[in-house]
Amino acid sequence: MPKYMTKQRKAFLEFLSEHSDEQLSVKQIAVALEDRNISLSAVYRNLSALEEDGKIRRVSKSGSREVYYQYIGDEHCRDCLHLSCEKCGKTFHMGVSGAETLIKNVALAENFAVDKSNTVLYGICKACQKK
Amino acid sequence: MPKYMTKQRKAFLEFLSEHSDEQLSVKQIAVALEDRNISLSAVYRNLSALEEDGKIRRVSKSGSREVYYQYIGDEHCRDCLHLSCEKCGKTFHMGVSGAETLIKNVALAENFAVDKSNTVLYGICKACQKK
DNA sequence: CTAGTTGCAAAGAGTTTGCATGGCG
DNA sequence: CGCCATGCAAACTCTTTGCAACTAG
């Protein structure tokens, strides 16, 4: 949707893609970007535009009432299921073959067509399980 | 957490459990209950109390920025994965055996321990697929 | 030059809180 | 009777919007 690449928008996209394995709150994003002279309203407007555009995804975390955003810019991510760790907050990708198997299982068992792009599985990742 | 069963709280729980296969917005709940003389603040307070208490779950829907709540009062639901239809908004339960298999697959493939109670798979249900 | 984008401030929506009143147990 | 829950209104926080100024193409 964005037409012009302003310096604000550039900084915005840079920041999000550098943190593409994290789920960021609006506040985190705003604070990180105010050094770069991006106003709060620009943050909100860019979030909306990029979400419509499919470049980022809005997600909700377990405990929190806050809204979080995550970068999904590259095509790769669109074919993955996402696993979100409830302890460290990082996101893991479940590759195409694994995801397809899982989705087929649900389809068979329940006659339900899972929407990959919108589904996030929550749990505890390998690293955090060890702690 | 609730100590007294007031008539408001009774109506509140009745309404939610009658609609346990739907995800309800705060607004829907508030409108439905204002006939029964429940103020907006009582709705909010009860939502918080019951969420802490594990009787309801807060979920987020695909397109919307709104917060939704769903009744999960009975023990049965705690052992299920939930499938939420993006068209009709209804929730389907994926029984224990199917859910366990699915969760084991994820654990094997990605070393990730899925948190059943917090995971909702989004997609299109059988009935809506036919339309 | 022109239309999209930004910043600011004000408006709006959603949620929480303080306090006096009322009702459950 | 004591304490919790409620209702109301005010306070807060988060998000959106109008408008003038700016800037990428």
Side-chain angles (χ1 to χ4, degrees):
Chain A
M1 223 51 142
K3 289 234 172 162
Y4 298 157
M5 183 55 66
T6 62
K7 64 181 192 301
Q8 288 92 336
R9 187 163 286 156
K10 194 146 169 275
F12 189 97
L13 284 169
E14 266 173 37
F15 177 75
L16 285 184
S17 62
E18 279 165 10
H19 297 265
S20 61
D21 61 344
E22 293 170 61
Q23 300 176 340
L24 303 163
S25 67
V26 175
K27 200 173 281 180
Q28 284 179 292
I29 297 170
V31 168
L33 292 181
E34 69 186 10
D35 298 338
R36 306 233 222 166
N37 293 312
I38 305 188
S39 70
L40 190 54
S41 41
V43 169
Y44 276 109
R45 285 194 260 235
N46 278 313
L47 284 173
S48 301
L50 291 171
E51 190 191 0
E52 254 183 51
D53 210 23
K55 295 268 187 297
I56 60 178
R57 167 204 322 259
R58 182 158 27 85
V59 297
S60 65
K61 279 194 195 174
S62 45
S64 162
R65 191 150 312 210
E66 247 179 313
V67 174
Y68 294 83
Y69 287 88
Q70 175 157 33
Y71 189 72
I72 47 164
D74 55 355
E75 285 305 319
H76 158 69
C77 287
R78 295 164 198 272
D79 288 326
C80 294
L81 268 180
H82 290 82
L83 311 173
S84 174
C85 179
E86 295 176 310
K87 284 204 175 165
C88 64
K90 293 216 166 175
T91 300
F92 302 86
H93 299 241
M94 190 161 178
V96 179
S97 63
E100 290 304 331
T101 309
L102 194 146
I103 286 168
K104 269 182 200 149
N105 284 345
V106 180
L108 279 174
E110 309 288 329
N111 267 300
F112 188 88
V114 173
D115 171 11
K116 264 184 310 207
S117 71
N118 201 31
T119 290
V120 180
L121 300 174
Y122 294 91
I124 310 293
C125 74
K126 187 181 183 179
C128 288
Q129 284 173 51
K130 287 185 185 161
K131 288 170 198 167
Chain B
M1 222 54 141
K3 290 232 172 164
Y4 298 159
M5 183 56 65
T6 62
K7 63 180 191 302
Q8 288 92 335
R9 185 163 287 156
K10 194 146 170 275
F12 189 96
L13 285 169
E14 265 173 38
F15 177 74
L16 285 184
S17 62
E18 278 165 11
H19 298 265
S20 61
D21 61 345
E22 292 171 63
Q23 300 175 342
L24 303 163
S25 67
V26 175
K27 200 174 283 180
Q28 284 178 292
I29 296 170
V31 167
L33 293 182
E34 68 187 11
D35 299 339
R36 305 231 222 169
N37 293 312
I38 305 189
S39 70
L40 190 52
S41 43
V43 169
Y44 277 110
R45 284 194 260 234
N46 278 312
L47 284 173
S48 301
L50 291 171
E51 190 191 359
E52 252 183 56
D53 210 22
K55 294 269 186 297
I56 60 179
R57 167 206 319 260
R58 181 159 27 86
V59 297
S60 66
K61 278 195 193 173
S62 47
S64 162
R65 191 149 313 209
E66 247 179 312
V67 173
Y68 294 83
Y69 287 88
Q70 176 156 30
Y71 190 73
I72 46 165
D74 56 354
E75 285 306 320
H76 159 68
C77 287
R78 296 165 198 272
D79 288 326
C80 293
L81 267 180
H82 290 83
L83 310 172
S84 173
C85 180
E86 294 176 312
K87 285 202 175 168
C88 64
K90 292 215 169 176
T91 300
F92 303 86
H93 299 239
M94 189 161 177
V96 180
S97 63
E100 290 303 333
T101 310
L102 196 147
I103 285 169
K104 269 182 199 149
N105 284 345
V106 180
L108 280 175
E110 310 286 330
N111 268 299
F112 189 88
V114 173
D115 170 12
K116 266 184 308 209
S117 70
N118 199 33
T119 290
V120 180
L121 299 175
Y122 293 92
I124 310 293
C125 74
K126 187 181 184 178
C128 288
Q129 282 171 51
K130 286 185 185 161
K131 288 171 196 164

